[in-house]
Amino acid sequence: MAEHSGRADHAFPPPQREGLYRAIHERRDVRAQFLPDPVPPEVLARLLDAAHHAPSVGFMQPWDFLVIDSREVRRRVHRLFLRENERGAQQFSAERQQAYRRLKLEGILESPLNLCITCDRSRGDGPVLGRTSIVDTDLFSTCLAVQNLWLAARAEGIGVGWVSILDQQELATILDLPEQVYPLAYLCLGYVSEFLQQPELARSGWRQRLPLTELVHGNGWRQALADEALHEALQEVARPCQP
């Protein structure tokens, strides 16, 4: 009987690993590349199932999914975005405002489908295991559901754009959410003409990806890594990510 190494027995085969890392590195926040083609129900079901299999603290599963195909609802959300986007622009310097206004920051009406992932802050019976010290773990858990959906969407060739420039209270009113349900992520979904080589904000010069080697610390903040081999490995994996 072959001896198990304890290192690779549970690893995915190389093509599957490569597919996962490809989805991570090629995932994009899509705003301007949406096509009108509808998302097939079976594909959307797979994406929602992937989101529902996200980890959650205390297994509370605080998420719900609002599938929004109503043009009227989307128009109301879009009007809310336009107002909040103008408010957002005014918070930057005059020069930065010009760059800001050139950016397209949503695809609410262009995408064939919108999806709101919510967090029910009352979910769970009594105290939730693991949430007794950090009450926001329900929000953190819902973010993991968003990420699951986003990576699955990339694997399916579906673009996703997160619209964060919204007043959450007014969005909750538009979507008729109960008081304890928070609209955590408003997403635009659809097939796209392309996935950009770089994130939109990096390509436009708004911000660039920070070097990974500057973000990994040793046993305390800003302490050097004791493992020189890890430092070299970090430099090696970071090279393909450089613009």
Side-chain angles (χ1 to χ4, degrees):
M1 181 179 296
E3 183 178 353
H4 293 287
S5 68
R7 295 174 56 180
D9 296 339
H10 303 294
F12 289 180
Q16 295 179 12
R17 290 203 307 270
E18 291 167 7
L20 173 59
Y21 286 115
R22 179 184 174 187
I24 291 171
H25 285 281
E26 295 186 12
R27 181 211 58 80
R28 294 289 178 263
D29 194 352
V30 177
R31 288 87 174 267
Q33 293 81 33
F34 285 111
L35 298 173
D37 310 58
V39 177
E42 62 273 15
V43 175
L44 180 59
R46 288 198 294 269
L47 301 185
L48 295 174
D49 185 57
H52 185 47
H53 278 77
S56 62
V57 173
F59 205 40
M60 70 179 98
Q61 305 161 73
W63 43 72
D64 284 89
F65 308 97
L66 282 72
V67 179
I68 303 165
D69 53 13
S70 165
R71 293 293 296 183
E72 177 54 31
V73 172
R74 290 161 63 181
R75 279 193 287 266
R76 293 177 65 189
V77 175
H78 187 250
R79 287 195 293 267
L80 179 58
F81 164 81
L82 291 176
R83 189 196 72 196
E84 292 300 310
N85 192 51
E86 180 58 30
R87 288 179 177 176
Q90 293 174 9
Q91 297 182 38
F92 295 93
S93 67
E95 180 180 355
R96 202 66 161 158
Q97 279 190 42
Q98 293 181 9
Y100 183 100
R101 296 180 195 282
R102 287 194 295 269
L103 297 170
K104 180 166 177 56
L105 300 176
E106 52 77 36
I108 296 170
L109 299 178
E110 296 89 341
S111 61
L113 191 67
N114 291 183
L115 176 72
C116 186
I117 301 182
T118 64
C119 177
D120 187 340
R121 310 219 65 186
S122 67
R123 190 156 297 169
D125 301 321
V128 175
L129 188 155
R131 195 186 174 199
T132 52
S133 297
I134 305 175
V135 297
D136 287 341
T137 51
D138 58 339
L139 298 173
F140 305 159
S141 298
T142 307
C143 285
L144 296 175
V146 177
Q147 181 74 340
N148 265 23
L149 181 137
W150 216 329
L151 294 178
R154 180 62 190 90
E156 296 276 5
I158 301 288
V160 177
W162 187 333
V163 185
S164 60
I165 307 173
L166 296 170
D167 181 291
Q168 298 301 83
Q169 290 186 339
E170 292 194 38
L171 179 61
T173 299
I174 292 173
L175 300 179
D176 196 26
L177 301 181
E179 183 178 356
Q180 78 280 6
V181 175
Y182 179 74
L184 184 135
Y186 193 90
L187 307 174
C188 306
L189 277 73
Y191 290 105
V192 298
S193 58
E194 64 173 331
F195 286 96
L196 299 178
Q197 292 295 314
Q198 286 184 279
E200 187 92 28
L201 295 184
R203 189 177 73 158
S204 69
W206 187 266
R207 282 185 68 89
Q208 299 300 322
R209 191 177 303 280
L210 299 173
L212 176 60
T213 51
E214 296 180 7
L215 305 176
V216 182
H217 313 274
N219 295 300
W221 184 253
R222 292 302 183 195
Q223 292 190 25
L225 288 169
D227 189 339
E228 183 61 30
L230 174 57
H231 181 72
E232 293 177 0
L234 290 171
Q235 291 179 313
E236 187 64 29
V237 298
R239 283 180 189 140
C241 301
Q242 298 303 317

